[in-house]
Amino acid sequence: MKRIFSCLTALLLTMFLFAEVHAEPVDWGDKSITVTGMGTANPAMARTQAHASMMARRAAIADAYRQLAEMVQGVQVDAETTVEQMMLTSDIVKTRVSAVIKGAVIVSEGELTGGGYSVTMKLPLFGDNGLSAAVITPPPVIEPFPQPAPEVIPSMPADSQTGDSVGFTVISGGERSPMAAIGGFTGLIIDCRGLNLNPVMSPVIKNVKGVKLYGHENLNYDLVVRDGMVNYANDRGMAGRAGSNPLVIKAKALEDHNANPVVSEEDGSRILIENGATGFLNKTAVVFLY
């Protein structure tokens, strides 16, 4: 009976750990990976109860590191590349990723009822000790944002609060021009809801002609590593990164394994014109709704 109970316990623990490893690896709202490791002590080696607790804690920490290593490998760096693929092709990236995993922070821990120990670890994707510095490569030079297409009349966005049309900007002599910036936009929201967006660490915004409007090559590398390029949110209430008066654009489609939003030429031109006025892209004040 004792042997049957031990086998059942081991099976349940294995099932629990399997579920942990194969869960969604990243909390894209929090921009972090969190795992819970579990461990027990070998009764034959534990001299005292305190010694058993220490052994169980070490086993739980080792289990948490193992889970982090597995989950990190599945993170999408961009539409085409996972961390695992980068580690396979570069020993430098492999060493950096290993160092990042070892720097994961214990956020909670404690003994389990009936024996054993639990340790929860958290690894940030961006910021201090984040994964981004290990896998996002700095561009040789910062590429300028493209210019609005001169043959395309930019779209006129609706007011982000009221939904009413903002209207044309009046320029000198009372003339109205759609090529002039409306101004005052604090950030950009790309609404991808209903399109099955696949979050990645380094996304790209394109227009329907394939012109890249926004990518990490256009941005300050230190800013990308610290804050990431975008926030992913499920509703407007979580889109604070885009500020109090965001330019809201509806994605026409997704490309590159559903990682990169595609907007119309008209909306793309409006994004570039307004960024020229307030620089929200340069500040990475961008949110994807999904």
Side-chain angles (χ1 to χ4, degrees):
M1 175 63 77
K2 184 176 180 181
R3 181 173 181 180
I4 294 175
F5 178 78
S6 298
C7 291
L8 180 60
T9 301
L11 177 61
L12 291 173
L13 181 59
T14 300
M15 292 173 62
F16 174 81
L17 292 178
F18 182 85
E20 285 285 335
V21 170
H22 289 80
E24 175 62 33
V26 180
D27 180 344
W28 288 101
D30 188 52
K31 292 186 284 191
S32 65
I33 303 172
T34 302
V35 300
T36 298
M38 300 176 66
T40 59
N42 185 338
M45 299 180 63
R47 297 187 295 272
T48 64
Q49 182 60 41
H51 187 212
S53 179
M54 292 173 60
M55 292 175 64
R57 182 178 186 272
R58 286 197 295 268
I61 290 174
D63 182 48
Y65 279 136
R66 176 186 62 80
Q67 292 188 55
L68 277 177
E70 292 191 31
M71 288 192 170
V72 162
Q73 291 182 48
V75 174
Q76 288 286 150
V77 179
D78 55 35
E80 303 293 339
T81 312
T82 64
V83 173
E84 181 180 22
Q85 290 168 331
M86 296 188 71
M87 292 173 66
L88 289 173
T89 57
S90 172
D91 289 336
I92 294 176
V93 171
K94 184 176 181 179
T95 299
R96 289 174 177 171
V97 170
S98 297
V100 168
I101 292 172
K102 291 178 182 178
V105 176
I106 295 176
V107 294
S108 65
E109 61 180 292
E111 295 186 359
L112 299 171
T113 302
Y117 207 91
S118 171
V119 172
T120 298
M121 284 186 170
K122 188 172 186 178
L123 176 67
L125 294 184
F126 303 95
D128 295 338
N129 302 315
L131 182 62
S132 55
V135 297
I136 297 179
T137 304
V141 295
I142 297 179
E143 298 178 4
F145 291 103
Q147 294 298 311
E151 71 279 6
V152 175
I153 298 176
S155 62
M156 299 306 297
D159 183 272
S160 62
Q161 303 299 324
T162 67
D164 297 330
S165 177
V166 173
F168 288 105
T169 298
V170 178
I171 57 177
S172 61
E175 181 184 357
R176 297 188 302 176
S177 171
M179 296 302 293
I182 296 166
F185 290 111
T186 56
L188 173 66
I189 293 177
I190 303 293
D191 189 347
C192 305
R193 289 175 293 188
L195 297 176
N196 195 28
L197 178 68
N198 176 33
V200 299
M201 294 182 70
S202 180
V204 171
I205 301 174
K206 306 177 185 179
N207 70 16
V208 292
K209 293 293 187 179
V211 177
K212 186 177 71 173
L213 308 177
Y214 181 71
H216 89 271
E217 297 90 349
N218 305 117
L219 304 169
N220 179 283
Y221 175 74
D222 292 335
L223 190 60
V224 171
V225 167
R226 188 189 71 192
D227 299 329
M229 292 177 56
V230 305
N231 276 9
Y232 291 92
N234 293 320
D235 59 62
R236 286 285 302 274
M238 300 169 61
R241 178 170 179 153
S244 59
N245 184 37
L247 173 62
V248 182
I249 300 295
K250 178 67 177 178
K252 301 288 287 185
L254 301 174
E255 289 187 353
D256 309 314
H257 308 290
N258 282 12
N260 297 327
V262 179
V263 301
S264 69
E265 283 191 275
E266 296 80 6
D267 285 344
S269 289
R270 177 55 58 192
I271 291 170
L272 295 172
I273 289 171
E274 299 305 330
N275 180 64
T278 56
F280 49 76
L281 295 181
N282 306 71
K283 302 169 187 174
T284 69
V286 180
V287 175
F288 290 172
L289 296 182
Y290 74 123

